Amino acid sequence: MITIERDKLQKDLQYRVAFDRDFLEFNEEDGKALNGAAPLILPVVMDIVDGVYDHLFEWSYTKEIFLKRNAGFEGDLTKSLEELSVDDEQMKFRKQFLSYWCAKLLTADFNDPAFWEYLDKVGIMHTGAPSFKHRVNKEPLKVDLQALSLTLGWVMDVVITIVLNFPRGVISRTQQAAVVRAFNKLIWIQQDLFARHYTRTDEEAEAHLQKQGYSNVDYSPVKPNQSTKQPELAKEEDSVSDSSRSTSPHSGAKGDISACPHFKKSS
């Protein structure tokens, strides 16, 4: 059994990342898989970024954050949510940051502590704290953890879909699986580096729950004589229908954004 110092996980970034990597088994081969897939995915990074913002703009909850001024942008701001467009100048400015983040995930040296410091700063900056120099003395950027987590999940789904629809002959199924697994692990590490700046300690969480009136919640296991019957779920076929699989080859030795169901609107 490997001993982990719980307090050190909170205070020492590289110690935390090392544990994340060990737990998820993110290793040298994962890094090579991502670096190797970079030439195939980078050509469609801007398509991915455009898709992210189109998706975020479908809900007021995930759109309203973009009414605030981005650090480094000096142009005019749109004043109302209804008038805000993904084509506004500030949105183009924000897309540059996201495209850089996407590229870093594929091209980084994963043994370089600076990369993990970058991912950690991405987490900090969304809490309102100025993690990057360009955010010092700027209006705080505050985004709920829920919105961040869902966005990470959406990006992961899109990238995995692209990888699974790489042109035949360009990448083997073994390589596809390696890229998907590696990207999945990396996104979860980024998620953890978001969460570490949002979540409470156990003591703070307990105090918060008590304040909300949850101090007497019974978390004990269900007793044998208690009913554990669950509502019946509709039965589904175990196999995926052929129609839901993409079987047609695609031209060009790069990722095919059109294979993603997320981008049907723009195809």
Side-chain angles (χ1 to χ4, degrees), residues 9 16-17 19-20 120 152 186-197 199:
L9 286 174
R16 186 185 188 102
V17 168
F19 175 64
D20 285 354
D120 190 57
L152 284 180
L186 185 56
I187 288 294
W188 276 105
I189 295 175
Q190 174 67 92
Q191 165 66 10
D192 180 56
L193 297 182
F194 277 138
R196 80 182 288 243
H197 302 294
T199 54

Side-chain angles (χ1 to χ4, degrees), residues 3-258:
T3 300
I4 297 296
E5 299 177 44
R6 187 169 178 273
D7 289 342
K8 195 173 181 179
L9 286 174
Q10 308 303 322
K11 299 174 182 177
D12 188 329
L13 170 63
Q14 298 303 333
Y15 185 81
R16 186 185 188 102
V17 168
F19 175 64
D20 285 354
R21 293 186 62 169
D22 287 347
F23 189 91
L24 293 172
E25 298 181 348
F26 183 90
N27 53 35
E28 295 289 337
E29 294 305 311
D30 290 311
K32 290 178 182 178
L34 292 172
N35 290 163
L40 301 175
I41 302 176
L42 288 177
V44 295
V45 160
M46 283 311 303
D47 293 306
I48 295 171
V49 170
D50 287 340
V52 169
Y53 282 95
D54 286 341
H55 198 61
L56 291 172
F57 269 48
E58 291 188 24
W59 292 272
S60 61
Y61 170 59
T62 49
K63 182 180 179 181
E64 60 190 9
I65 182 62
F66 302 113
L67 288 173
K68 297 180 180 180
R69 182 175 296 279
N70 196 85
F73 180 74
E74 304 298 336
D76 295 331
L77 288 180
T78 302
K79 301 298 182 182
S80 71
L81 200 61
E82 292 71 26
E83 296 176 357
L84 184 62
S85 165
V86 291
D87 296 319
D88 287 354
E89 288 303 313
Q90 178 169 242
M91 296 311 303
K92 295 176 183 178
F93 188 86
R94 288 179 180 270
K95 287 180 180 182
Q96 292 176 6
F97 182 90
L98 183 57
S99 63
Y100 179 76
W101 174 81
C102 287
K104 288 278 283 186
L105 296 184
L106 299 167
T107 60
D109 175 359
F110 300 103
N111 291 319
D112 184 357
F115 170 69
W116 304 107
E117 291 172 7
Y118 167 76
L119 292 192
D120 190 57
K121 289 179 179 179
V122 171
I124 296 173
M125 68 175 284
H126 288 88
T127 68
S131 58
F132 292 101
K133 291 182 179 179
H134 72 271
R135 293 214 61 87
V136 176
N137 299 322
K138 299 292 184 179
E139 183 180 3
L141 173 65
K142 294 182 180 180
V143 182
D144 289 347
L145 179 60
Q146 180 186 23
L148 294 172
S149 301
L150 293 174
T151 301
L152 284 180
W154 197 88
V155 170
M156 182 163 63
D157 185 37
V158 170
V159 171
I160 287 175
T161 303
I162 292 171
V163 172
L164 293 179
N165 285 277
F166 275 147
R168 292 177 179 177
V170 173
I171 185 172
S172 69
R173 292 203 174 189
T174 299
Q175 290 171 314
Q176 283 179 320
V179 174
V180 167
R181 293 185 66 219
F183 193 75
N184 176 63
K185 295 175 189 179
L186 185 56
I187 288 294
W188 276 105
I189 295 175
Q190 174 67 92
Q191 165 66 10
D192 180 56
L193 297 182
F194 277 138
R196 80 182 288 243
H197 302 294
Y198 282 84
T199 54
R200 301 176 172 89
T201 64
D202 286 353
E203 294 75 19
E204 291 172 332
E206 183 178 0
H208 174 74
L209 288 172
Q210 289 179 349
K211 192 175 182 180
Q212 299 298 315
Y214 292 104
S215 57
N216 296 320
V217 175
D218 182 8
Y219 293 106
S220 59
V222 176
K223 297 179 181 179
N225 61 343
Q226 288 180 297
S227 173
T228 58
K229 185 177 180 180
Q230 300 294 322
E232 292 186 5
L233 300 177
K235 294 182 178 179
E236 297 181 358
E237 295 294 334
D238 292 334
S239 60
V240 180
S241 64
D242 292 337
S243 62
S244 66
R245 294 192 178 100
S246 176
T247 56
S248 60
H250 303 285
S251 61
K254 66 177 184 178
D256 184 5
I257 201 72
S258 65

